[in-house]
Amino acid sequence: MTNTGGNVARLYLPLLNHAQAEVRRQACVVLLGAHGAHAVTGLRQLLGDPDPEIRLQAQQGLHVLMSIGGIEVAEQPYHAIYVECLGQLRVWVGGRQILPRDWMQPDSGRAGWRKVQGAFAYLVHRGRYGASRKALGEAVWGGPVSAASMARTLTALRQTLAGPDDSALIERTLTISGDQISFAADSYTSDARFFEQAFDIACRTEDEQGLAAAAPLYAQTLRLYSGPYMIDVAGSDEWGQGQRDHLLGSAVIAAERLAEHAYAGQRYRECVAICRQALEIDDTAEELSSWLLRAYDRLNLRREIGMAYRSYLRAATVSPHEGEGRHNPVVRTYQELTGVRDAG
């Protein structure tokens, strides 16, 4: 995914400027659903972008957002926390990025910077539910932790996040009430949350209007997926794996729908490109592998069919002549395609 600098409105410029009115409307729904009136501020920030094309698209996008959303332009900058947790963890407070060296500053160093970062990531993961001290200790320390150690870590976290103009925001966002510790859900958003909302709207659009109408939204959804959830956060394999699998599965489904749409439109090279890109996310995805084989067949790329098939068998550890492997959908697709071609 393109580095947004904390401004996800940039990702929606192509859809807000799309030739089809329905695509523009759906993009508006997604952007406003995720950020409300602050989406306008994100576009206003792009009016000062060095790229004149970006400035023009932002201006046109503002007109679309205001006309469809029926909202006024926000006068004050969007002052909140934005978290990229798909792939490498990156955090912005307002327009200021928390850099790796910030996590490792002297104050957080005494608390252990990985624990400071881990506490932040886990609280973001928990969202509006927050976490008990016991749950936070198990997630970050792997078990019981002293009150002093947790206090040092939470203090270091406040210091890491708070800049000259952000103390009040961080004080309001990171709250401790008795045994419960939480981040105020209305004070931050994340690319994972944005991805989920975009995927949900794409699915609903397909249900209501068909795949052709939903395809641009599936494409935008897939662009929002930039890697496994919280993958570089220590301890996230324990508490984040369920969400990681869920988001990865949604990305694969979006790619499957796009691949089918491209194939149905006889855009076979586009189908191949979609499948190959998505198989880098999950090289065992059955439906994607099947669409890839079909597209290669239509392009008369016999050698590529064999290579893609063998690659799938290795990744999925499938034996095509034994047990369930004989009924595997990718195996069956390959046999159908090669059988037809050999018979010809």
Side-chain angles (χ1 to χ4, degrees), residues 26-76:
Q26 291 291 348
C28 176
V29 170
V30 174
L31 198 51
L32 291 177
H35 289 284
H38 298 304
V40 176
T41 303
L43 287 171
R44 283 177 61 85
Q45 291 173 342
L46 295 177
L47 294 176
D49 195 273
D51 187 337
E53 180 63 25
I54 294 295
R55 294 199 299 269
L56 177 61
Q57 290 185 11
Q59 184 178 40
Q60 294 171 339
L62 268 174
H63 294 157
V64 171
L65 211 62
M66 288 189 288
S67 63
I68 295 177
I71 57 178
E72 298 296 327
V73 172
E75 296 295 332
Q76 300 298 321

Side-chain angles (χ1 to χ4, degrees), residues 208-291:
E208 296 169 3
Q209 302 176 43
L211 181 54
L217 299 174
Y218 279 127
Q220 186 67 15
T221 299
L222 197 57
R223 281 193 286 271
L224 287 169
Y225 187 86
S226 56
Y229 177 74
M230 298 283 192
I231 191 62
D232 64 339
V233 176
S236 64
D237 288 347
E238 295 294 326
W239 48 260
Q241 191 62 50
Q243 180 71 345
R244 187 175 298 164
D245 292 342
H246 167 71
L247 295 171
L248 184 148
S250 296
V252 169
I253 291 171
E256 290 170 352
R257 307 310 295 134
L258 281 173
E260 179 176 342
H261 180 60
Y263 186 89
Q266 300 183 13
R267 300 187 305 277
Y268 303 122
R269 293 192 182 279
E270 179 182 336
C271 181
V272 166
I274 292 167
C275 292
R276 291 185 61 177
Q277 179 184 8
L279 286 169
E280 293 180 4
I281 300 173
D282 180 5
D283 56 3
T284 67
E286 294 176 351
E287 191 167 340
L288 280 172
S289 297
S290 293
W291 285 121

Side-chain angles (χ1 to χ4, degrees), residues 66-110:
M66 288 189 288
S67 63
I68 295 177
I71 57 178
E72 298 296 327
V73 172
E75 296 295 332
Q76 300 298 321
Y78 179 41
H79 195 55
I81 299 170
Y82 178 73
V83 186
E84 284 189 2
C85 47
L86 294 175
Q88 183 182 6
L89 180 71
R90 295 194 292 185
V91 182
W92 284 263
V93 180
R96 175 178 58 89
Q97 184 177 2
I98 306 300
L99 300 172
R101 64 174 179 267
D102 297 325
W103 294 108
M104 302 178 195
Q105 62 179 304
D107 289 329
S108 64
R110 287 197 293 270

